[in-house]
Amino acid sequence: MGIVEALPHIKLQGKEAFAAMRKAGALTALALDEVLPLVRAGTPTQAIDDFFMAFAEKHHVLPATLNYRGYRKACCISLNHVVCHGIPGEKPLHEGDIVNIDLTLIVDGWHGDSSRMYAVGDISRAAERLVDVTYESMMRGIAAVMPGGYLGDIGFAIQTYAEAERCSVVRDFCGHGLGQVFHDHPNILHYGKRGEGAKLKPGMIFTIEPMINLGKASVKILSDGWTAVTRDKSLSAQFEHTVGVTETGVEIFTLSPGGHHRPHFKI
């Protein structure tokens, strides 16, 4: 089935595209599972990036971020108060860190995009709570996806939950359409009002990827031009799934095959 334009700039994809996105999403999710043993104190974040480069070569796919707009790494790794787009390097992980790893693999021309939070050893209760709130925010946003609904329903579900938990929603970044294009229409805001924005229709494919802060929502970009951090140095967390609108609801393409959707905190 070909691509049909239902709304300006928003593609509606067919069955073949959904099958391709399942394949791309599954491989990205597998990579995020298999990197888990490296997420421990003492590991340089570059070692995680190296792992993804080797994983991509093994599976004959490409990391979408590599050389994207001048970015030179296979993934983004964001620690603690880094909101997103942290650049891997020689800095090692430390006990108590919370880490977001954001990976997109291009599989047969289709993009599988996902990110997860990882806990490095024992983390603070405040960090645990933030990660839990962020995961639940994403899942509530996904649950709001259904044909006949609106993009604003997604943002409303995320914002109302996160703010009720005394956290803030970052507004500087958003989810996005994707498929054979890395960043496409529509933008998926993680805040909003019910019934606003474009109408959701079967065949839409996009990411939902809320960034939630323990402190205030404001962020700043560091001098490297990529790394976004909280202005008040408060902790930040993010989860991301790629989803598609179906005839009856929503399909998640990037579920963890090993059940590692969220960190397993030590009791």
Side-chain angles (χ1 to χ4, degrees):
M1 185 183 298
I3 294 171
V4 187
E5 290 287 342
L7 294 168
H9 309 300
I10 301 178
K11 301 183 180 78
L12 295 187
Q13 306 281 9
K15 292 181 179 179
E16 291 83 359
F18 268 59
M21 289 299 291
R22 288 186 198 108
K23 184 176 179 181
L27 192 64
T28 298
L30 177 63
L32 290 172
D33 276 11
E34 293 193 355
V35 79
L36 187 58
L38 282 178
V39 186
R40 61 180 186 269
T43 299
T45 55
Q46 182 59 49
I48 294 171
D49 197 74
D50 292 341
F51 170 85
F52 288 133
M53 281 299 299
F55 183 95
E57 290 174 7
K58 175 183 176 181
H59 292 274
H60 308 291
V61 300
L62 292 173
T65 56
L66 188 63
N67 298 318
Y68 178 78
R69 297 183 178 177
Y71 191 80
R72 299 188 179 277
K73 303 293 181 177
C75 68
C76 296
I77 302 177
S78 303
L79 280 66
N80 300 323
H81 73 289
V82 178
V83 176
C84 62
H85 303 155
I87 303 173
E90 296 310 313
K91 181 179 179 179
L93 300 175
H94 293 96
E95 180 85 9
D97 284 343
I98 57 171
V99 185
N100 177 271
I101 301 178
D102 189 347
L103 177 69
T104 305
L105 295 178
I106 306 173
V107 181
D108 299 328
W110 296 84
H111 293 72
D113 191 357
S114 185
S115 82
R116 296 183 204 159
M117 295 301 297
Y118 298 77
V120 182
D122 292 312
I123 65 174
S124 70
R125 182 65 192 102
E128 286 187 20
R129 179 175 169 275
L130 173 64
V131 172
D132 282 340
V133 168
T134 305
Y135 181 81
E136 181 65 18
S137 295
M138 176 186 67
M139 295 309 295
R140 288 187 182 220
I142 292 172
V145 177
M146 60 187 68
Y150 294 86
L151 290 179
D153 301 348
I154 301 170
F156 177 83
I158 292 168
Q159 181 185 6
T160 52
Y161 174 74
E163 292 180 352
E165 293 295 324
R166 303 183 306 282
C167 295
S168 59
V169 179
V170 173
R171 300 190 177 209
D172 300 65
F173 304 97
C174 61
H176 53 88
L178 84 167
Q180 290 177 299
V181 176
F182 191 3
H183 293 96
D184 206 348
H185 299 285
N187 288 334
I188 308 299
L189 303 182
H190 302 121
Y191 59 92
K193 297 181 179 179
R194 283 195 183 117
E196 291 190 347
K199 195 169 187 178
L200 295 168
K201 295 191 176 184
M204 290 182 179
I205 296 174
F206 47 79
T207 68
I208 297 177
E209 48 182 298
M211 286 145 271
I212 308 297
N213 297 346
L214 268 183
K216 295 181 179 179
S218 58
V219 307
K220 65 178 180 180
I221 308 299
L222 300 186
S223 59
D224 59 30
W226 288 100
T227 308
V229 301
T230 56
R231 284 189 175 272
D232 59 8
K233 303 291 181 155
S234 63
L235 290 176
S236 185
Q238 179 188 20
F239 282 93
E240 175 183 14
H241 272 316
T242 296
V243 304
V245 185
T246 69
E247 295 289 341
T248 57
V250 62
E251 178 176 354
I252 303 174
F253 297 119
T254 45
L255 290 173
S256 161
H260 303 298
H261 307 302
R262 61 202 297 176
H264 301 289
F265 300 128
K266 296 179 181 179
I267 304 301

